[in-house]
Amino acid sequence: MMVQSTGFFAFLRLGLAAFFAVAFPAAGQPQEEVEKRVNDLLRTMTLEEKIGQLNMVSNGALLRWDDISSGRVGALLNFNNAQDIARAQAAARQSRLKIPVLFGLDILHGFRTQFPIPLGEAAAFNPRLSRLASEWAAREASYIGVQWTFAPMADLSRDSRWGRIVEGFGEDPYLGSVLTAARVEGFSKGGLATATKHFAGYGAPQGGRDYDTTYIPPAEMYDTYLPPFRAAVEAGSVSFMAAFNALNGVPSTANAWLQTDVLRKRWGFDGFVTSDWAGINELIGHGIAEDGAEAARKAILAGVDMDMMGELYIRYLPEEVRSGRVPESVIDEAARRILRSKMRLGLFDRPDADPKHVDSIFPSAEARQAAREVAQETIVLLQNRNKVLPISGSVRSIAVVGPLADAPLDQFGPHGARGHAQDSVSILQGVRAKAEQSGIQIRHAIGCDLVCHSSDQLPAALEAVKSSDLTIAVFGEPADLSGEAASRAHLALNGKQEEILRALAAAGKPIALVIIGGRPLELGTLPDQIPSVLMAWYPGTEGGPALADILFGDVNPSGKLPLSWPRSVGQLPLYYNRLPTGRPTLENNRFTLKYVDEAITPLYPFGWGLSYTQFAYSRPEITKTHLKAGDILEVSVQVTNEGSQKGHEVVQLYTRDPVASRSRPLRELKAFEKIFLEPGQSKRVTFQILVNALGFHQDDGSYWLEKGAIQIFVGGNSLADLSGEIFLEETVTVPLGEQRAISSMKVYRNDL
Ligand code: BGC
């Protein structure tokens, strides 16, 4: 959407300058001054000192403090309190040149106050809230001296077997670009530099197996996987992290096409790239380096500036340079990028961490309020037969059942940073607090523990269900089953959860299922037996109150799925923006796209999410149907709240190019806007999309906008009806060399 995307990036650029001034004190320095300071410093550095800047080491038993004070460490990770940070920075200040080290940590969705996990946050379809959540995470972490987060994760994924799908935004490149940029902006505003990761293709490992290889054709990289990273460059990401995986046979950590050609030459990125944890050593495992020296050489020559936890750069690069295998200018450039970033962040000019700062001052009431607001908008009402929800006034007793109803830590999900169980308000506590206000009785039973190997607890749970007017069943995926190294070959509810839920539903009382987890799970026959189903993701510290707000109807659900929800694991990878086939599904023809043992459609489509009210869409109007490159496509639609409850709706616009020189996706999200409507209220939403954004890449990297029809679909999810058609009047192709950059919303404007 032009209004949103152009304005959005313009805002980003302006906003960035403004908040750098606050968050990063030296950011106000003119670029030339920064370059001069960096070059002056570089001239005084020995080769070993420059290579020291390229070395990142973790806190822990193996850390050698002497390395810090002798200038052999440029960055440290996993320091999470101000005392240790201050001590380590003091050690760095003892080194000959007193260059400060950079402190990095994985802060994805909160530091002490936990916000919903990124995939859940994506379901809010609300960049303002993404910025807010990241800003809070950064504010808390930077208070104790952390300067750099290994986030956001910009890996698009269409395969929920991959555990790390929880850390991203789901399956759509447009949504992913908007939200990645918002996250970079929010983190920066709160005082953290970002390492946008994992560059690139990490979200599409074969079989959904973490760390496995990835094959993505170049055109698909340009159109689908790279745009969110490109958006991070636009939003000012200070650094990038190379991915573990091999992309089309070349490990990302030694992939010069990614780390140099695309990121630096085409996108103009001048910050630095770090490896992932021991990623350079893993080049030996990938089978492209014989030993540590060769691994170090390949990584640095490809454009990976920093070695995270490999110690290969400090060990081998001095000799690689002396022997002439690595030009010293390459080391200079890597050190320059790191020093430039440190300089821009103000590390040379600002006071070190104050050891008196402790994170126990968090979560503040304000942070809790923000976490609650974000969590409310992330919850997706997947189905609601018989209007089981919101809880009606006639309900006098509620059974809150399930292993995740009172699981304060698990509701944080993976990467809980400094989240504490005692800060977390569980779903049971949230529901109980609200029920007490209306004199509703609460019965609680776990049904089974988190592993759920036994149904011994079922009788107690059944008893609670039978004696209550309504059941809220809180089941799903314990946090251990989600995140890095948590790929799953089975996506059913773990242990005996499904069996227990079926027994609870069979009691015949009204029941709503709340799913906690980091990915869509196979629900089997449960959606037929349980009328209301909500996806609550890992909702964070304020998950309980936020969910209670939704269950009791104080807040109308407005989350929309950022991915297609499979019926069965065998459907994966599954995504709405797939290519057409010569044999589209026909009900009465076996030899068309289908499974013999499963439906071809997802259980719930991308963009799906219900509300307690009903939104009616007018017939969309297209201002001008014949358009050329550089023109604006304008589509407007009137949305009316026809129900009796106020609420948010995510108005979505999709396009399709039905005949092109390459197969084009059946649908592509090109714009969305979240609006708020009182009962009876109408609003006109006007989308403005730059026509240049309707093209696509070829494998050689050229960008084509082709003459012909483009179909438009507007509605509340990716099944929206056809709304009309426009015609592009000319074909414009932009060869690779002439493109200033590729694949971002801003770039489309520059390209043509
Ligand atoms: C992960 C990264 C993370 C790093 C540091 C790695 O295992 O892949 O995403 O930032 O560890 O904790």
Side-chain angles (χ1 to χ4, degrees):
M1 181 172 55
M2 182 70 175
V3 163
Q4 192 179 35
S5 57
T6 311
F8 176 62
F9 278 106
F11 172 75
L12 266 184
R13 282 189 302 277
L14 285 176
L16 214 61
F19 66 64
F20 260 129
V22 178
F24 303 138
Q29 291 179 89
Q31 180 67 13
E32 313 83 71
E33 204 177 296
V34 169
E35 292 305 309
K36 183 174 178 312
R37 280 180 79 182
V38 169
N39 286 329
D40 289 349
L41 182 56
L42 268 174
R43 271 193 289 277
T44 65
M45 293 172 82
T46 64
L47 177 63
E48 276 71 13
E49 282 168 334
K50 289 177 206 163
I51 293 171
Q53 287 303 306
L54 320 186
N55 187 29
M56 170 158 43
V57 185
S58 176
N59 196 6
L62 298 178
L63 176 67
R64 292 182 302 268
W65 284 76
D66 283 358
D67 280 351
I68 306 178
S69 50
S70 60
R72 284 162 58 81
V73 172
L76 287 164
L77 78 150
N78 291 334
F79 278 77
N80 63 12
N81 67 78
Q83 279 197 336
D84 290 349
I85 289 176
R87 190 173 147 226
Q89 198 62 291
R93 300 275 186 206
Q94 286 167 22
S95 62
R96 188 178 77 90
L97 293 168
K98 307 187 185 339
I99 300 176
V101 290
L102 179 63
F103 290 89
L105 193 64
D106 288 290
I107 297 157
L108 273 95
H109 55 102
F111 185 61
R112 178 83 187 229
T113 311
Q114 294 296 301
F115 284 72
I117 44 94
L119 184 61
E121 183 213 284
F125 273 69
N126 189 337
R128 179 184 68 80
L129 292 186
S130 294
R131 275 192 288 274
L132 183 72
S134 304
E135 184 183 341
W136 267 108
R139 273 207 223 175
E140 292 186 355
S142 60
Y143 176 75
I144 65 105
V146 178
Q147 298 153 338
W148 184 33
T149 175
F150 304 127
M153 190 186 90
D155 294 305
L156 182 141
S157 185
R158 293 156 161 188
D159 191 335
S160 39
R161 290 173 295 184
W162 188 55
R164 302 198 80 168
I165 200 165
V166 66
E167 295 178 47
F169 50 77
E171 73 190 31
D172 185 73
Y174 177 76
L175 180 66
S177 299
V178 172
L179 297 188
T180 300
R183 287 169 183 173
V184 168
E185 189 190 19
F187 281 126
S188 314
K189 187 170 181 191
L192 283 186
T194 49
T196 303
K197 66 189 187 185
H198 306 84
F199 199 58
Y202 184 43
Q206 294 207 326
R209 292 176 294 269
D210 207 4
Y211 317 123
D212 211 343
T213 204
T214 297
Y215 286 99
I216 307 173
E220 182 73 348
M221 282 300 288
Y222 291 124
D223 283 336
T224 306
Y225 288 86
L226 291 178
F229 288 97
R230 167 70 196 183
V233 174
E234 292 295 323
S237 187
V238 167
S239 66
F240 280 75
M241 185 188 294
F244 284 131
N245 63 287
L247 171 69
N248 303 328
V250 183
S252 300
T253 308
N255 196 317
W257 176 72
L258 282 172
Q259 313 300 349
T260 297
D261 295 352
V262 171
L263 188 58
R264 265 75 181 240
K265 294 193 182 150
R266 299 180 67 180
W267 294 351
F269 173 68
D270 69 352
F272 69 97
V273 174
T274 174
S275 78
D276 201 342
W277 184 283
I280 301 176
N281 311 52
E282 290 178 14
L283 296 179
I284 301 171
H286 277 294
I288 66 152
E290 194 145 32
D291 51 27
E294 190 177 5
R297 181 165 71 242
K298 287 201 159 165
I300 192 87
L301 289 177
V304 173
D305 306 301
M306 193 178 266
D307 174 2
M308 184 202 286
M309 277 312 278
E311 299 212 342
L312 295 185
Y313 279 5
I314 47 164
R315 205 172 308 156
Y316 296 111
L317 286 184
E319 182 49 29
E320 289 297 299
V321 171
R322 284 187 193 110
S323 66
R325 286 187 290 269
V326 172
E328 185 158 0
S329 59
V330 171
I331 307 293
D332 285 352
E333 190 50 33
R336 179 177 290 112
R337 290 169 183 149
I338 291 164
L339 292 171
R340 174 192 288 144
S341 305
K342 287 185 176 182
M343 206 75 86
R344 282 181 183 159
L345 294 171
L347 263 54
F348 288 84
D349 308 296
R350 66 172 158 183
D352 293 345
D354 181 343
K356 291 192 290 303
H357 284 191
V358 288
D359 65 34
S360 53
I361 66 162
F362 306 118
S364 62
E366 207 190 339
R368 281 189 183 279
Q369 183 49 39
R372 182 168 176 170
E373 187 195 352
V374 176
Q376 286 165 348
E377 289 207 21
T378 66
I379 294 165
V380 186
L381 180 61
L382 295 169
Q383 59 178 55
N384 193 23
R385 286 197 306 274
N386 316 329
K387 295 216 165 121
V388 168
L389 295 177
I391 296 168
S392 83
S394 62
V395 168
R396 300 316 307 151
S397 55
I398 301 175
V400 180
V401 178
L404 285 148
D406 200 20
L409 267 184
D410 279 85
Q411 78 185 41
F412 293 165
H415 282 302
R418 292 279 284 175
H420 285 221
Q422 79 261 18
D423 299 335
S424 172
V425 188
S426 75
I427 290 155
L428 174 66
Q429 288 169 315
V431 171
R432 179 172 274 149
K434 204 160 280 232
E436 270 169 7
Q437 290 164 16
S438 339
I440 297 172
Q441 192 188 354
I442 294 291
R443 296 186 180 87
H444 172 230
I446 61 168
C448 64
D449 63 16
L450 288 167
V451 207
C452 204
H453 280 158
S454 145
S455 44
D456 290 356
Q457 303 285 326
L458 176 60
L462 259 181
E463 186 49 43
V465 167
K466 285 182 183 158
S467 43
S468 304
D469 297 335
L470 171 75
T471 295
I472 305 294
V474 191
F475 286 69
E477 195 177 47
D480 258 6
L481 292 183
S482 175
E484 185 177 354
S487 295
R488 295 185 62 181
H490 304 278
L491 286 183
L493 290 161
N494 64 292
K496 292 183 185 285
Q497 287 196 34
E498 190 176 333
E499 183 185 317
I500 290 170
L501 274 166
R502 278 207 296 266
L504 299 181
K509 305 287 290 267
I511 177 167
L513 169 62
V514 174
I515 303 169
I516 301 293
R519 46 157 80 90
L521 295 166
E522 253 183 43
L523 298 180
T525 56
L526 291 173
D528 300 328
Q529 290 161 282
I530 298 183
S532 281
V533 181
L534 286 155
M535 182 62 182
W537 316 99
Y538 295 114
T541 305
E542 287 290 304
L547 195 78
D549 290 336
I550 298 276
L551 293 170
F552 284 86
D554 297 323
V555 172
N556 203 339
S558 64
K560 301 273 184 174
L561 286 179
L563 34 63
S564 309
W565 190 298
R567 296 168 192 275
S568 135
V569 70
Q571 292 180 308
L572 296 171
L574 182 70
Y575 48 100
Y576 82 96
N577 37 7
R578 59 183 304 279
L579 298 186
T581 133
R583 295 191 175 193
T585 310
L586 289 175
E587 209 177 313
N588 298 321
N589 186 344
R590 179 185 177 120
F591 296 94
T592 58
L593 185 79
K594 56 177 59 174
Y595 295 103
V596 288
D597 57 357
E598 183 55 276
I600 193 71
T601 53
L603 180 60
Y604 309 108
F606 176 86
W608 178 263
L610 302 174
S611 164
Y612 296 147
T613 191
Q614 297 84 45
F615 297 105
Y617 284 70
S618 71
R619 198 178 156 66
E621 284 170 24
I622 300 172
T623 312
K624 192 173 160 223
T625 55
H626 286 67
L627 298 162
K628 292 194 296 299
D631 286 348
I632 302 288
L633 160 62
E634 191 173 273
V635 183
S636 67
V637 66
Q638 177 100 349
V639 185
T640 306
N641 180 350
E642 292 193 330
S644 52
Q645 266 178 281
K646 61 188 177 186
H648 286 98
E649 167 71 330
V650 180
V651 184
Q652 302 163 42
L653 184 148
Y654 298 83
T655 60
R656 179 182 179 191
D657 183 348
V659 183
S661 56
R662 302 173 66 93
S663 273
R664 301 299 305 137
L666 289 166
R667 301 257 163 128
E668 291 178 87
L669 183 69
K670 289 291 176 190
F672 63 86
E673 190 172 336
K674 193 161 194 175
I675 56 170
F676 183 79
L677 291 173
E678 296 288 342
Q681 194 188 357
S682 293
K683 266 188 195 158
R684 178 157 288 276
V685 174
T686 301
F687 293 112
Q688 290 183 310
I689 298 158
L690 195 65
V691 163
N692 303 13
L694 303 177
F696 53 90
H697 289 87
Q698 305 287 345
D699 275 339
D700 67 2
S702 59
Y703 185 75
W704 292 32
L705 186 69
E706 289 186 348
K707 186 174 174 173
I710 300 277
Q711 299 169 338
I712 317 275
F713 310 81
V714 179
N717 62 66
S718 60
L719 302 179
D721 290 336
L722 182 64
S723 312
E725 226 174 32
I726 58 154
F727 298 91
L728 302 186
E729 292 182 320
E730 60 187 12
T731 294
V732 183
T733 63
V734 188
L736 175 62
E738 288 172 30
Q739 284 174 232
R740 278 206 247 154
I742 56 169
S743 293
S744 84
M745 291 155 280
K746 171 176 175 265
V747 168
Y748 285 127
R749 204 170 52 241
N750 292 342
D751 275 354
L752 300 183

